Amino acid sequence: MARKPLDYEELNENVKKVQYAVRGELYLRASELQKEGKKIIFTNVGNPHALGQKPLTFPRQVVALCQAPFLLDDPNVGLIFPADAIARAKHYLAMAPGGLGAYSDSRGIPGIRKEVADFIQRRDGYPSDPELIYLTDGASKGIMQILNTIIRNERDGILVPVPQYPLYSATISLFGGSLVPYYLEEEANWGLDFVNIRQSVAEARSKGITVRAMVIINPGNPTGQCLSEANIKELLQFCYHENLVLLADEVYQQNIYQDERPFISARKVLFDIGLPLSREVQLVSFHTVSKGYWGECGQRGGYFEMTNLPPKTVDEMYKVASIQLSPNVPGQIFMGVMVNPPKPGDISYLKFATESKSILESLRRRARMMTDGFNSCRNVTCNFTEGAMYSFPQIQLPPRAIEAAKRAGKAPDVFYCLKLLEATGISTVPGSGFGQKEGVFHLRTTILPAEEDFPAILSSFKNFNDSFMREYEGYSRM
Amino acid sequence: MRRFAADRARRAVAASLRAAASRSGAPSPLVPAPRHPAHPVGAAAMAAAAMARAMSTATKGAPAVSLDTINPKVLKCEYAVRGEIVTHAQNLQQELQKNPESLPFDEILYCNIGNPQSLGQQPVTYFREVLSLCDHPALLDKSETHALYSSDAIERAWQILEKIPGRATGAYSHSQGIKGLRDEIAAGIAARDGFHASGDNIFLTDGASPAVHMMMQLLISSEKDGILCPIPQYPLYSASIALHGGSLVPYFLDEETGWGLEVDELKKQLEEARSKGITVRALVVINPGNPTGQVLSEENQKKIVEFCKNEGLVLLADEVYQENIYVEDKQFHSFKKVARSLGYTDDDLPLVSFQSVSKGYYGECGKRGGYMEITGFSPEVREQIYKVASVNLCSNVSGQILASLVMNPPKAGDESFESFMVEKDGILSSLARRAKALEEAFNSLEGITCNKAEGAMYLFPRLHLPQKAIGAAQAAGTAPDAYYAKRLLEATGIVVVPGSGFGQVPGTWHFRCTILPQEDKIPAIISRFKEFHEKFMDEYRD
């Protein structure tokens, strides 16, 4: 009988090409071990609540009330919900005719998009148009939508930093485009190297690729570096001259652990530069409720903001959004509360500020602890986690370890990470999942385990690593 | 401040020049083409020359992302449900807000989209209680919570949270959805069908639509891949096929026989597509139908299953309206049940069943909850589906919880059961009454014939328009049904979707109208519609 349509061989090749290591081999092995009863510490994905971070109280109260509006009529509601949460729930219900159960505007509830625009204006000092802000089921959906709009065929190239968050490589594969890598400089704390960027572009063009867009992840994932204002300025000028749309993944903008380079949005820098760039450079900026100190990954709340896209292109974005009908409404409300949080004087302000501060300060401490912890290990060097949620140490694997990996049919960093998992239960993602220079190995872990668990985790890692190194460095051959 | 490593740059350029010089004939992007002077110039000058070249190859003038340069598949796809007529309606609505007296009606009535709660349908109380508690699990630790929530909702919330590691509803879940909830859904499917279902075969998604997209992505590699779709169809299918670069292979439902689905028609279209070099990969069946509302008979379904088996097609069964049946003589049978009752096991027939929390009696569109149940796929293929699902990490957790509630609602004996049944029966019986009232109203009008809505949420009346009206539409540069829909909107504020948005036999005209406005509004809608239609027919009387 003829091949069946869903035989493996018949599948869309683009689907087969996709790789997404964050939930790939290591994660699947860790899940298997967990089922067998082994204690696993999942540090493969930026998923704060899964590692014990508590949700902020106020947004949960607001959404719980929006979910069950009949509570608002109950005289006892004030017993378990503070008055400002009640008022805020009414505020969002008034914006959402039909409540949480109705499809909203395909671009998101207009009132919430206005709250996002107001947030952007307060943050950057420049006005933002709610009509150009689209809420999405998580930032990932927005990124996929934009890339789908840009990529026409395999000759369209997207500049992506290496190492990168593999949503980009996966999506580019899925849509049949070409990934044009630009390497971040590990020796310069994962800094930008414009010579390399220009080289990559020229090389791509010589192969007949039209480079269309440039992705920046700021703060970086997995690398954590925070771009300076000068960096972003140079990037924007580069995009202007090379006619690229800049895709600014800024989902970690609240996660900053040093004071030399606070977060500055690509949009702010663009408008600071002024004309002609501020009117010419096309920019799409992404944000989410999944990171920061909120960590509400499971809600799937995000947005993208378009700058300098022609109205007809925006219309097409609207059309594509409308096929999906609307982003989930509870996620939209989380976004509203995130960009419009309790203010000083509000009943819930103190609790909200205390909860937020505690999370951010702890993340800052953990970023330092983890960097230092890795740097104290044999053959491990680790750049400081300036921002985001990850640590990306370099592991200098001895040649014998690399051979052993080869014999086992695994990439060297996968081999190391599997051994680490089996010895300690720590589930990481091998650096090959993010991209790295040839012959240089890393792993990505998160700084998210509870602070009190850090000493044990770091010493467990050190014990494993140092004995692994002893085993594979061994004595030289005769 | 970042160093841009000028020294390193110079060294890198020099190194690549040396490398290029030592490789015979291999072009290097930083080395000038042969006609340029071959002897080395200063490294900095080389870098500058390279930059200048790189700059000149950029296409200045045409912006990176413009209508000329975006993905043509995006341009090609259409989605009429939120298309032109809706934009027009929104503009009129804004006018009404500014100037309440300016139009011949008080309000816009959106009958274009299956969005029940936007038109006043109330959510199921028990579901919302459980979701509210799961949104804020800290409530479960307070004794006062018992004063506000029913005790079985509290109990259910506990049970659900037990299935979520750490009670963390804010964490990314497993990419297929929380295991315990999938198992509950599988149990619900098994109870519904009388055949085993496994939680491992379920992928929870942000509504049924993303699941449909995932399958199209898997099945379509090029325009040579065809998907059989009913005409008329819900335009998610045509849009998704266009977006993924495939070919829609239409099969026509028969209006004369209550939108009947004939296997002969399927065969005919399949063969014609094949003769054109198209590899037909799947058959989409929407049951109950959208926009057509027909409920397939079990006999019919059996023939469809056999057809897919014989022709080697994946059966994509859109069953989101499974709880919306309004006629006594029809029942919902899932395609999985039909296949199993024919003796086909998991290995025999690739079948994907889609369900959603947006329809039924629950109507929770804004929650974006749904799933696909996949059976009959090899482990390698399932791995690929899992992989694609994992790139988006997971669907929203609240929607996952709701899907498990929909497939496992309160049972007899539960505290909330009686009030739940009152709400459920109330909504469903009202929908049945509205379906009938609107159908009768449409059929009472000159020039309109309307098949019964046996299920789903829509009526799809046929317009038998006078030639003069068709001429007027052509003169206005629109299709006759779009012209009619626009005139209807402007006279009455009622928004319907022209039939061309769904597909129809060429030369026939329809529109889709939902049955969702609240029951007390229906008489006024009917009379406004009648008034408009009679005037329209008089205006264009031949």
Side-chain angles (χ1 to χ4, degrees):
Chain A
M1 215 212 136
R3 279 271 177 72
K4 290 197 236 151
L6 270 169
D7 286 350
Y8 182 78
E9 298 74 18
E10 300 295 302
L11 294 182
N12 181 355
E13 283 303 316
N14 289 343
V15 167
K16 288 191 259 185
K17 284 198 204 120
V18 168
Q19 298 292 322
Y20 186 68
V22 173
R23 280 208 162 162
E25 184 181 354
L26 251 299
Y27 171 72
L28 292 169
R29 179 72 187 126
S31 304
E32 265 171 40
L33 289 170
Q34 186 180 47
K35 275 194 209 136
E36 290 167 22
K38 191 175 172 72
K39 173 159 163 37
I40 304 290
I41 304 155
F42 285 98
T43 71
N44 59 304
V45 66
N47 198 9
H49 294 197
L51 290 160
Q53 181 175 311
K54 296 271 165 280
L56 299 167
T57 306
F58 184 74
R60 292 306 189 97
Q61 290 171 329
V62 172
V63 174
L65 283 165
C66 290
Q67 194 77 260
F70 41 82
L71 292 173
L72 296 169
D73 301 324
D74 192 315
N76 288 321
V77 68
L79 289 177
I80 56 176
F81 291 97
D84 56 352
I86 293 170
R88 189 71 84 96
K90 290 181 177 165
H91 162 85
Y92 288 119
L93 288 170
M95 285 183 190
L100 266 55
Y103 293 126
S104 73
D105 184 308
S106 298
R107 299 161 290 188
I109 293 168
I112 294 180
R113 286 153 59 216
K114 172 96 184 29
E115 286 183 318
V116 174
D118 291 343
F119 154 76
I120 292 170
Q121 173 152 1
R122 281 193 311 273
R123 181 194 68 192
D124 294 347
Y126 293 102
S128 170
D129 183 357
E131 295 298 295
L132 298 174
I133 294 169
Y134 285 17
L135 306 182
T136 51
D137 285 314
S140 298
K141 282 264 166 79
I143 289 164
M144 293 183 84
Q145 210 180 311
I146 297 291
L147 286 173
N148 188 36
T149 306
I150 294 172
I151 296 171
R152 297 166 296 190
N153 53 53
E154 71 280 0
R155 286 183 307 282
D156 280 332
I158 312 289
L159 267 166
V160 175
V162 178
Q164 47 103 40
Y165 173 51
L167 166 69
Y168 292 97
S169 46
T171 303
I172 292 166
S173 284
L174 213 47
F175 296 139
S178 286
L179 190 151
V180 179
Y182 67 92
Y183 288 85
L184 301 175
E185 269 300 322
E186 187 160 13
E187 293 82 54
N189 213 30
W190 298 115
L192 293 170
D193 177 355
F194 271 87
V195 172
N196 179 264
I197 296 176
R198 293 194 164 94
Q199 213 168 342
S200 295
V201 172
E203 204 175 299
R205 284 179 178 151
S206 74
K207 289 191 224 153
I209 290 177
T210 311
V211 185
R212 305 283 307 285
M214 181 172 193
V215 172
I216 59 168
I217 310 174
N218 181 40
N221 175 5
T223 47
Q225 86 286 15
C226 296
L227 296 174
S228 70
E229 190 171 348
N231 285 158
I232 300 174
K233 202 167 169 185
E234 189 160 356
L235 282 163
L236 287 163
Q237 280 160 347
F238 179 75
C239 288
Y240 175 66
H241 288 293
E242 301 298 333
N243 197 26
L244 306 173
V245 53
L246 183 63
L247 305 179
D249 178 339
E250 299 176 330
V251 301
Y252 295 101
Q253 56 186 270
Q254 291 169 343
N255 301 101
I256 312 284
Y257 312 128
Q258 42 70 38
D259 302 316
E260 292 76 40
R261 273 175 304 285
F263 174 74
I264 180 165
S265 77
R267 193 164 184 274
K268 176 175 191 331
V269 178
L270 179 62
F271 288 125
D272 284 346
I273 293 173
L275 294 169
L277 271 75
S278 56
R279 210 164 37 206
E280 298 292 321
V281 175
Q282 295 183 330
L283 167 67
V284 187
S285 314
F286 302 91
H287 198 12
T288 181
V289 304
S290 300
K291 311 300 176 190
Y293 51 91
W294 280 60
E296 293 280 11
C297 303
Q299 311 299 345
R300 315 317 274 115
Y303 75 75
F304 62 85
E305 182 194 21
M306 298 173 276
T307 303
N308 294 331
L309 265 60
K312 288 208 172 122
T313 303
V314 175
D315 287 343
E316 292 298 314
M317 299 306 311
Y318 186 6
K319 182 181 74 178
V320 173
S322 72
I323 301 170
Q324 301 279 42
L325 288 152
S326 91
N328 89 76
V329 177
Q332 297 187 42
I333 294 175
F334 272 97
M335 179 56 79
V337 183
M338 187 180 90
V339 298
N340 185 13
K343 295 176 193 35
D346 292 351
I347 296 166
S348 300
Y349 174 72
L350 201 57
K351 185 166 196 190
F352 181 84
T354 309
E355 287 174 346
S356 310
K357 194 157 172 264
S358 156
I359 291 168
L360 278 174
E361 285 176 351
S362 172
L363 283 167
R364 190 179 265 240
R365 288 192 296 270
R366 284 180 274 170
R368 177 48 69 194
M369 274 197 272
M370 192 157 257
T371 306
D372 293 347
F374 281 130
N375 278 318
S376 77
C377 297
R378 190 173 178 72
N379 293 341
V380 180
T381 47
C382 190
N383 283 334
F384 175 59
T385 295
E386 297 186 342
M389 289 178 170
Y390 312 97
S391 196
F392 198 64
Q394 187 187 138
I395 319 281
Q396 286 110 34
L397 292 168
R400 283 180 54 210
I402 296 177
E403 279 159 37
K406 217 173 176 175
R407 280 196 305 273
K410 302 273 179 216
D413 48 11
V414 174
F415 179 76
Y416 178 92
C417 291
L418 280 168
K419 288 232 173 274
L420 170 66
L421 170 65
E422 285 173 16
T424 66
I426 300 171
S427 170
T428 57
V429 188
S432 43
F434 304 87
Q436 50 205 352
K437 289 197 172 131
E438 187 75 40
V440 184
F441 306 108
H442 303 82
L443 58 83
R444 187 187 82 166
T445 180
T446 66
I447 60 171
L448 298 174
E451 206 171 334
E452 61 259 25
D453 294 338
F454 258 57
I457 291 173
L458 290 173
S459 88
S460 177
F461 177 85
K462 188 173 164 66
N463 287 339
F464 160 78
N465 176 77
D466 293 0
S467 57
F468 178 97
M469 293 305 167
R470 274 196 302 274
E471 180 186 343
Y472 286 100
E473 278 178 329
Y475 32 83
S476 47
R477 275 176 293 169
M478 296 199 259
Chain B
M1 285 287 256
R2 292 268 177 270
R3 296 176 346 258
F4 292 112
D7 285 345
R8 196 175 310 133
R10 249 177 265 129
R11 278 200 296 273
V13 171
S16 81
L17 285 179
R18 279 196 298 275
S22 66
R23 250 173 312 171
S24 51
S28 157
L30 287 177
V31 171
R35 55 193 157 81
H36 286 241
H39 54 265
V41 189
M46 290 305 304
M51 258 159 58
R53 214 173 5 259
M55 274 164 61
S56 65
T57 28
T59 325
K60 280 278 196 80
V65 180
S66 69
L67 218 57
D68 298 324
T69 57
I70 64 175
N71 183 355
K73 293 180 229 164
V74 167
L75 290 174
K76 192 167 165 216
C77 73
E78 299 285 319
Y79 186 71
V81 174
R82 275 198 161 170
E84 205 179 310
I85 188 110
V86 179
T87 313
H88 189 36
Q90 285 163 344
N91 293 336
L92 291 178
Q93 188 167 37
Q94 278 173 355
E95 252 182 71
L96 263 183
Q97 270 162 5
K98 277 185 241 158
N99 220 337
E101 307 297 307
S102 59
L103 295 166
F105 47 84
D106 297 326
E107 59 173 336
I108 300 285
L109 272 161
Y110 288 99
C111 299
N112 59 304
I113 182 173
N115 196 10
Q117 294 189 30
S118 76
L119 290 169
Q121 181 172 309
Q122 292 303 300
V124 172
T125 306
Y126 174 81
F127 291 167
R128 291 303 190 89
E129 286 187 291
V130 175
L131 288 171
S132 174
L133 291 164
C134 291
D135 275 335
H136 189 33
L139 289 170
L140 293 170
D141 301 324
K142 290 187 203 268
S143 56
E144 298 94 327
T145 300
H146 287 273
L148 277 118
Y149 294 82
S150 59
S151 55
D152 57 347
I154 292 173
E155 177 59 39
R156 188 67 182 264
W158 275 114
Q159 283 172 18
I160 289 169
L161 290 168
E162 283 304 298
K163 300 179 203 246
I164 301 176
R167 291 182 7 175
T169 52
Y172 291 126
S173 73
H174 185 285
S175 293
Q176 283 178 241
I178 293 155
K179 174 86 166 88
L181 296 179
R182 284 185 278 129
D183 289 343
E184 259 195 75
I185 291 170
I189 293 171
R192 179 194 70 196
D193 292 347
F195 290 97
H196 170 74
S198 166
D200 292 336
N201 290 336
I202 292 175
F203 284 75
L204 284 158
T205 47
D206 289 303
S209 300
V212 170
H213 284 302
M214 235 193 277
M215 290 314 301
M216 294 306 175
Q217 188 152 65
L218 216 69
L219 289 165
I220 297 171
S221 302
S222 76
E223 71 277 1
K224 288 215 190 64
D225 290 313
I227 312 285
L228 272 161
C229 287
I231 301 295
Q233 46 101 44
Y234 173 51
L236 164 68
Y237 293 97
S238 45
S240 187
I241 292 165
L243 219 44
H244 292 100
S247 291
L248 191 152
V249 179
Y251 67 89
F252 290 86
L253 301 174
D254 188 0
E255 189 158 12
E256 306 302 307
T257 60
W259 298 114
L261 202 174
E262 295 305 317
V263 175
D264 287 339
E265 165 68 5
L266 293 178
K267 230 177 147 45
K268 173 172 156 228
Q269 299 296 348
L270 174 69
E271 267 147 30
E272 199 176 306
R274 282 176 175 161
S275 72
K276 290 194 222 152
I278 291 180
T279 312
V280 182
R281 316 274 253 128
L283 169 69
V284 172
V285 182
I286 310 174
N287 182 45
N290 176 6
T292 47
Q294 87 284 19
V295 177
L296 296 172
S297 71
E298 211 173 343
E299 271 318 297
N300 208 174
Q301 287 181 276
K302 285 180 179 170
K303 295 206 178 93
I304 292 167
V305 169
E306 297 289 5
F307 173 75
C308 289
K309 178 90 183 109
N310 294 335
E311 301 294 345
L313 303 175
V314 179
L315 179 50
L316 301 174
D318 179 337
E319 299 178 329
V320 303
Y321 296 100
Q322 55 187 264
E323 303 256 20
N324 300 102
I325 313 269
Y326 310 129
V327 292
E328 306 268 301
D329 59 336
K330 289 281 179 73
Q331 242 180 59
F332 173 73
H333 304 284
S334 78
F335 269 102
K336 178 143 165 280
K337 176 171 111 176
V338 171
R340 294 289 173 273
S341 64
L342 282 172
Y344 292 120
T345 67
D346 209 25
D347 298 322
D348 290 324
L349 177 75
L351 165 64
V352 184
S353 315
F354 302 97
Q355 165 63 317
S356 169
V357 306
S358 301
K359 311 301 177 188
Y361 56 90
Y362 20 91
E364 296 277 22
C365 302
K367 300 298 180 59
R368 312 319 276 118
Y371 68 79
M372 60 179 180
E373 181 193 14
I374 63 174
T375 52
F377 290 34
S378 70
E380 297 82 33
V381 173
R382 291 177 49 97
E383 221 176 276
Q384 295 299 313
I385 299 175
Y386 170 82
K387 185 179 70 177
V388 172
S390 76
V391 176
N392 194 49
L393 284 152
C394 72
S395 63
N396 85 80
V397 172
S398 183
Q400 295 185 31
I401 293 172
L402 182 53
S404 78
L405 291 169
V406 160
M407 296 307 288
N408 250 308
K411 294 183 184 31
D414 293 351
E415 179 190 325
S416 299
F417 179 71
E418 271 182 49
S419 55
F420 166 79
M421 287 307 288
V422 167
E423 286 178 349
K424 175 181 173 183
D425 288 341
I427 289 168
L428 287 174
S429 59
S430 173
L431 284 167
R433 286 191 299 270
R434 285 178 268 169
K436 193 128 186 49
L438 283 167
E439 176 221 323
E440 282 172 356
F442 287 135
N443 274 316
S444 75
L445 296 170
E446 174 200 0
I448 297 189
T449 50
C450 187
N451 281 337
K452 191 173 6 188
E454 297 182 328
M457 290 179 172
Y458 314 97
L459 285 165
F460 199 62
R462 180 161 168 200
L463 294 164
H464 305 265
L465 293 170
Q467 202 43 50
K468 246 174 117 180
I470 295 178
Q474 277 168 355
T478 41
D481 48 12
Y483 182 75
Y484 181 92
K486 185 159 183 270
R487 291 284 306 267
L488 171 68
L489 168 61
E490 288 168 354
T492 65
I494 299 170
V495 191
V496 300
V497 186
S500 40
F502 304 87
Q504 52 205 346
V505 169
T508 66
W509 313 109
H510 302 77
F511 63 87
R512 187 187 81 167
C513 180
T514 71
I515 60 171
L516 297 175
Q518 284 303 289
E519 214 168 336
D520 57 3
K521 283 205 147 99
I522 297 287
I525 290 174
I526 289 175
S527 72
R528 263 198 274 164
F529 187 96
K530 274 189 163 154
E531 194 190 326
F532 158 78
H533 182 79
E534 281 161 6
K535 277 211 191 100
F536 185 91
M537 293 302 279
D538 283 339
E539 186 182 335
Y540 292 107
R541 201 163 291 287
D542 289 321

